[in-house]
Amino acid sequence: MKNLKKYLLAIQKGLTTPSLPEDILKLQLHPIIRILRVLGGLSTLFLITDRVQQYSLPVYFYVIAMSITFIFFIFHMYITYHRIKHIRKLLKSDKLDIRNSPLSRLATFCSKIVLCAKGACETAAPIGSVLGFMGGIDAIRQSKGHEPIFLPLLGNIFMKDSPDLIADKQHREQYSQLYKLSQQHKDLNLLQKI
């Protein structure tokens, strides 16, 4: 029972120890930074989920969302740098040590693992920003009639096409071409009538 309390104390210590220095925590509470964080998160979600195109908004919404996402990404890179630096400092210090037990080394190691896991989860935000930025570039390219670059590449890396999916893609492309030809045929018939 006493050992379980040591491990619970270690987990609590790992979770409650801030993964950022005090000055960076104060910076994150600044109203302008809070607004940037909200707008950055929303614009990243808009770009990743392609909501801007779904609502048929003009292209400059992509540009604004991409700009905010880029600033959000730079901010998170700055925060990530300081987070890694601070966690390394904490791991080398004795702030996470659990004492007064023969199993304290294992409990101390547990608290350090919890802190590292917490820091890794908090650092995942720039990945979403990068994906949102790439999605925004692809959406702008699609709106100008070009093929997307990044998201199909990522899709091919993470999920290989099965033969059924390849056949389905070819069927959709042929159907799309057939639809375009039928639209052109209607336009030609209309011109002939005129």
Side-chain angles (χ1 to χ4, degrees), residues 1-11 98-101 103-104 107:
M1 190 67 161
K2 192 174 183 179
N3 292 334
L4 181 63
K5 286 183 181 179
K6 289 283 184 190
Y7 291 116
L8 291 176
L9 177 67
I11 291 171
I98 308 294
R99 295 189 178 92
N100 301 332
S101 170
L103 294 175
S104 64

Side-chain angles (χ1 to χ4, degrees), residues 23 31 81:
D23 58 333
Y81 168 74

Side-chain angles (χ1 to χ4, degrees), residues 83-99:
R83 177 171 282 124
I84 292 170
K85 190 174 154 183
H86 186 67
I87 288 175
R88 284 188 65 198
K89 181 181 169 188
L90 286 174
L91 292 177
K92 290 180 182 179
S93 72
D94 62 346
K95 288 187 178 183
L96 295 171
D97 287 351
I98 308 294
R99 295 189 178 92

